[in-house]
PDB file of all heavy atoms in Angstrom:
ATOM      1  N   PHE E  54      96.660  80.970  71.850  1.00  0.00           N
ATOM      2  CA  PHE E  54      98.113  81.237  71.861  1.00  0.00           C
ATOM      3  C   PHE E  54      98.678  80.957  73.279  1.00  0.00           C
ATOM      4  O   PHE E  54      99.708  80.298  73.469  1.00  0.00           O
ATOM      5  CB  PHE E  54      98.416  82.692  71.468  1.00  0.00           C
ATOM      6  CG  PHE E  54      99.851  83.104  71.745  1.00  0.00           C
ATOM      7  CD1 PHE E  54     100.895  82.647  70.928  1.00  0.00           C
ATOM      8  CD2 PHE E  54     100.128  83.897  72.817  1.00  0.00           C
ATOM      9  CE1 PHE E  54     102.209  83.027  71.174  1.00  0.00           C
ATOM     10  CE2 PHE E  54     101.480  84.253  73.119  1.00  0.00           C
ATOM     11  CZ  PHE E  54     102.520  83.872  72.254  1.00  0.00           C
ATOM     12  N   LEU E  55      97.962  81.489  74.324  1.00  0.00           N
ATOM     13  CA  LEU E  55      98.445  81.294  75.669  1.00  0.00           C
ATOM     14  C   LEU E  55      98.425  79.804  76.090  1.00  0.00           C
ATOM     15  O   LEU E  55      99.294  79.338  76.801  1.00  0.00           O
ATOM     16  CB  LEU E  55      97.629  82.130  76.635  1.00  0.00           C
ATOM     17  CG  LEU E  55      97.792  83.661  76.602  1.00  0.00           C
ATOM     18  CD1 LEU E  55      96.831  84.341  77.470  1.00  0.00           C
ATOM     19  CD2 LEU E  55      99.261  83.991  76.999  1.00  0.00           C
ATOM     20  N   SER E  56      97.439  79.091  75.616  1.00  0.00           N
ATOM     21  CA  SER E  56      97.316  77.661  75.957  1.00  0.00           C
ATOM     22  C   SER E  56      98.486  76.830  75.406  1.00  0.00           C
ATOM     23  O   SER E  56      98.774  75.797  75.863  1.00  0.00           O
ATOM     24  CB  SER E  56      95.932  77.098  75.558  1.00  0.00           C
ATOM     25  OG  SER E  56      95.952  76.976  74.114  1.00  0.00           O
ATOM     26  N   LYS E  57      99.061  77.362  74.319  1.00  0.00           N
ATOM     27  CA  LYS E  57     100.210  76.632  73.692  1.00  0.00           C
ATOM     28  C   LYS E  57     101.557  77.195  74.089  1.00  0.00           C
ATOM     29  O   LYS E  57     102.562  76.735  73.644  1.00  0.00           O
ATOM     30  CB  LYS E  57     100.091  76.739  72.131  1.00  0.00           C
ATOM     31  CG  LYS E  57      98.841  76.201  71.560  1.00  0.00           C
ATOM     32  CD  LYS E  57      98.785  74.725  71.796  1.00  0.00           C
ATOM     33  CE  LYS E  57      97.518  74.123  71.163  1.00  0.00           C
ATOM     34  NZ  LYS E  57      97.332  72.732  71.617  1.00  0.00           N
ATOM     35  N   THR E  58     101.545  78.179  75.007  1.00  0.00           N
ATOM     36  CA  THR E  58     102.789  78.858  75.435  1.00  0.00           C
ATOM     37  C   THR E  58     103.344  78.238  76.709  1.00  0.00           C
ATOM     38  O   THR E  58     102.612  77.716  77.513  1.00  0.00           O
ATOM     39  CB  THR E  58     102.469  80.367  75.626  1.00  0.00           C
ATOM     40  OG1 THR E  58     101.921  80.878  74.451  1.00  0.00           O
ATOM     41  CG2 THR E  58     103.762  81.142  75.969  1.00  0.00           C
ATOM     42  N   ASN E  59     104.636  78.399  76.861  1.00  0.00           N
ATOM     43  CA  ASN E  59     105.347  77.861  78.043  1.00  0.00           C
ATOM     44  C   ASN E  59     104.695  78.502  79.294  1.00  0.00           C
ATOM     45  O   ASN E  59     104.346  79.675  79.300  1.00  0.00           O
ATOM     46  CB  ASN E  59     106.790  78.279  77.976  1.00  0.00           C
ATOM     47  CG  ASN E  59     107.623  77.881  79.100  1.00  0.00           C
ATOM     48  OD1 ASN E  59     107.425  78.369  80.230  1.00  0.00           O
ATOM     49  ND2 ASN E  59     108.513  76.955  78.937  1.00  0.00           N
ATOM     50  N   LYS E  60     104.575  77.707  80.364  1.00  0.00           N
ATOM     51  CA  LYS E  60     103.867  78.243  81.550  1.00  0.00           C
ATOM     52  C   LYS E  60     104.601  79.374  82.211  1.00  0.00           C
ATOM     53  O   LYS E  60     103.968  80.246  82.845  1.00  0.00           O
ATOM     54  CB  LYS E  60     103.585  77.080  82.556  1.00  0.00           C
ATOM     55  CG  LYS E  60     104.813  76.534  83.282  1.00  0.00           C
ATOM     56  CD  LYS E  60     104.305  75.428  84.234  1.00  0.00           C
ATOM     57  CE  LYS E  60     105.371  75.059  85.235  1.00  0.00           C
ATOM     58  NZ  LYS E  60     104.855  74.077  86.189  1.00  0.00           N
ATOM     59  N   TYR E  61     105.914  79.478  82.066  1.00  0.00           N
ATOM     60  CA  TYR E  61     106.650  80.588  82.664  1.00  0.00           C
ATOM     61  C   TYR E  61     106.374  81.882  81.931  1.00  0.00           C
ATOM     62  O   TYR E  61     106.358  82.944  82.496  1.00  0.00           O
ATOM     63  CB  TYR E  61     108.170  80.283  82.714  1.00  0.00           C
ATOM     64  CG  TYR E  61     108.468  79.152  83.688  1.00  0.00           C
ATOM     65  CD1 TYR E  61     108.656  77.839  83.237  1.00  0.00           C
ATOM     66  CD2 TYR E  61     108.534  79.372  85.079  1.00  0.00           C
ATOM     67  CE1 TYR E  61     108.878  76.802  84.108  1.00  0.00           C
ATOM     68  CE2 TYR E  61     108.792  78.358  85.991  1.00  0.00           C
ATOM     69  CZ  TYR E  61     108.964  77.080  85.481  1.00  0.00           C
ATOM     70  OH  TYR E  61     109.205  76.074  86.343  1.00  0.00           O
ATOM     71  N   VAL E  62     106.198  81.776  80.620  1.00  0.00           N
ATOM     72  CA  VAL E  62     105.852  82.946  79.774  1.00  0.00           C
ATOM     73  C   VAL E  62     104.456  83.450  80.176  1.00  0.00           C
ATOM     74  O   VAL E  62     104.210  84.629  80.369  1.00  0.00           O
ATOM     75  CB  VAL E  62     105.930  82.617  78.301  1.00  0.00           C
ATOM     76  CG1 VAL E  62     105.381  83.789  77.460  1.00  0.00           C
ATOM     77  CG2 VAL E  62     107.350  82.284  77.891  1.00  0.00           C
ATOM     78  N   VAL E  63     103.481  82.474  80.310  1.00  0.00           N
ATOM     79  CA  VAL E  63     102.114  82.851  80.706  1.00  0.00           C
ATOM     80  C   VAL E  63     102.174  83.496  82.086  1.00  0.00           C
ATOM     81  O   VAL E  63     101.496  84.529  82.348  1.00  0.00           O
ATOM     82  CB  VAL E  63     101.193  81.598  80.740  1.00  0.00           C
ATOM     83  CG1 VAL E  63      99.830  81.929  81.286  1.00  0.00           C
ATOM     84  CG2 VAL E  63     101.085  81.064  79.306  1.00  0.00           C
ATOM     85  N   LEU E  64     102.887  82.959  83.038  1.00  0.00           N
ATOM     86  CA  LEU E  64     103.017  83.515  84.382  1.00  0.00           C
ATOM     87  C   LEU E  64     103.600  84.938  84.305  1.00  0.00           C
ATOM     88  O   LEU E  64     103.099  85.839  84.969  1.00  0.00           O
ATOM     89  CB  LEU E  64     103.918  82.605  85.249  1.00  0.00           C
ATOM     90  CG  LEU E  64     104.175  83.153  86.681  1.00  0.00           C
ATOM     91  CD1 LEU E  64     102.859  83.170  87.497  1.00  0.00           C
ATOM     92  CD2 LEU E  64     105.231  82.344  87.341  1.00  0.00           C
ATOM     93  N   SER E  65     104.660  85.107  83.484  1.00  0.00           N
ATOM     94  CA  SER E  65     105.219  86.415  83.342  1.00  0.00           C
ATOM     95  C   SER E  65     104.234  87.450  82.775  1.00  0.00           C
ATOM     96  O   SER E  65     104.139  88.560  83.265  1.00  0.00           O
ATOM     97  CB  SER E  65     106.451  86.340  82.420  1.00  0.00           C
ATOM     98  OG  SER E  65     107.405  85.516  82.987  1.00  0.00           O
ATOM     99  N   ILE E  66     103.504  87.064  81.751  1.00  0.00           N
ATOM    100  CA  ILE E  66     102.490  87.906  81.163  1.00  0.00           C
ATOM    101  C   ILE E  66     101.463  88.273  82.195  1.00  0.00           C
ATOM    102  O   ILE E  66     101.050  89.473  82.320  1.00  0.00           O
ATOM    103  CB  ILE E  66     101.879  87.289  79.917  1.00  0.00           C
ATOM    104  CG1 ILE E  66     102.899  87.177  78.781  1.00  0.00           C
ATOM    105  CG2 ILE E  66     100.661  88.083  79.434  1.00  0.00           C
ATOM    106  CD1 ILE E  66     102.476  86.343  77.601  1.00  0.00           C
ATOM    107  N   PHE E  67     101.023  87.284  82.947  1.00  0.00           N
ATOM    108  CA  PHE E  67      99.973  87.514  83.970  1.00  0.00           C
ATOM    109  C   PHE E  67     100.517  88.508  85.023  1.00  0.00           C
ATOM    110  O   PHE E  67      99.824  89.484  85.364  1.00  0.00           O
ATOM    111  CB  PHE E  67      99.548  86.215  84.604  1.00  0.00           C
ATOM    112  CG  PHE E  67      98.694  86.369  85.808  1.00  0.00           C
ATOM    113  CD1 PHE E  67      97.385  86.863  85.738  1.00  0.00           C
ATOM    114  CD2 PHE E  67      99.199  86.081  87.099  1.00  0.00           C
ATOM    115  CE1 PHE E  67      96.629  87.049  86.859  1.00  0.00           C
ATOM    116  CE2 PHE E  67      98.426  86.210  88.220  1.00  0.00           C
ATOM    117  CZ  PHE E  67      97.157  86.716  88.100  1.00  0.00           C
ATOM    118  N   ILE E  68     101.677  88.263  85.558  1.00  0.00           N
ATOM    119  CA  ILE E  68     102.233  89.068  86.630  1.00  0.00           C
ATOM    120  C   ILE E  68     102.478  90.504  86.130  1.00  0.00           C
ATOM    121  O   ILE E  68     102.158  91.472  86.835  1.00  0.00           O
ATOM    122  CB  ILE E  68     103.482  88.447  87.219  1.00  0.00           C
ATOM    123  CG1 ILE E  68     103.094  87.195  88.055  1.00  0.00           C
ATOM    124  CG2 ILE E  68     104.230  89.421  88.157  1.00  0.00           C
ATOM    125  CD1 ILE E  68     104.267  86.393  88.610  1.00  0.00           C
ATOM    126  N   ILE E  69     103.097  90.605  84.944  1.00  0.00           N
ATOM    127  CA  ILE E  69     103.380  91.987  84.404  1.00  0.00           C
ATOM    128  C   ILE E  69     102.056  92.748  84.210  1.00  0.00           C
ATOM    129  O   ILE E  69     102.007  93.909  84.636  1.00  0.00           O
ATOM    130  CB  ILE E  69     104.181  91.850  83.122  1.00  0.00           C
ATOM    131  CG1 ILE E  69     105.608  91.376  83.399  1.00  0.00           C
ATOM    132  CG2 ILE E  69     104.167  93.201  82.353  1.00  0.00           C
ATOM    133  CD1 ILE E  69     106.411  90.982  82.178  1.00  0.00           C
ATOM    134  N   THR E  70     101.059  92.071  83.691  1.00  0.00           N
ATOM    135  CA  THR E  70      99.743  92.727  83.458  1.00  0.00           C
ATOM    136  C   THR E  70      99.176  93.184  84.818  1.00  0.00           C
ATOM    137  O   THR E  70      98.670  94.323  84.946  1.00  0.00           O
ATOM    138  CB  THR E  70      98.800  91.805  82.740  1.00  0.00           C
ATOM    139  OG1 THR E  70      99.374  91.397  81.532  1.00  0.00           O
ATOM    140  CG2 THR E  70      97.495  92.491  82.415  1.00  0.00           C
ATOM    141  N   LEU E  71      99.187  92.265  85.794  1.00  0.00           N
ATOM    142  CA  LEU E  71      98.642  92.586  87.083  1.00  0.00           C
ATOM    143  C   LEU E  71      99.401  93.730  87.759  1.00  0.00           C
ATOM    144  O   LEU E  71      98.801  94.647  88.332  1.00  0.00           O
ATOM    145  CB  LEU E  71      98.673  91.320  87.962  1.00  0.00           C
ATOM    146  CG  LEU E  71      97.878  91.381  89.265  1.00  0.00           C
ATOM    147  CD1 LEU E  71      96.416  91.687  89.043  1.00  0.00           C
ATOM    148  CD2 LEU E  71      98.050  90.095  90.081  1.00  0.00           C
ATOM    149  N   VAL E  72     100.705  93.700  87.677  1.00  0.00           N
ATOM    150  CA  VAL E  72     101.552  94.759  88.321  1.00  0.00           C
ATOM    151  C   VAL E  72     101.275  96.065  87.644  1.00  0.00           C
ATOM    152  O   VAL E  72     101.187  97.141  88.310  1.00  0.00           O
ATOM    153  CB  VAL E  72     103.036  94.375  88.288  1.00  0.00           C
ATOM    154  CG1 VAL E  72     103.909  95.582  88.597  1.00  0.00           C
ATOM    155  CG2 VAL E  72     103.309  93.219  89.258  1.00  0.00           C
TER     156      VAL E  72
END
Side-chain angles (χ1 to χ4, degrees):
F54 169 77
L55 289 173
S56 70
K57 300 295 181 191
T58 304
N59 179 292
K60 72 180 192 174
Y61 293 98
V62 173
V63 174
L64 177 68
S65 298
I66 293 169
F67 170 70
I68 289 175
I69 289 168
T70 306
L71 191 61
V72 167

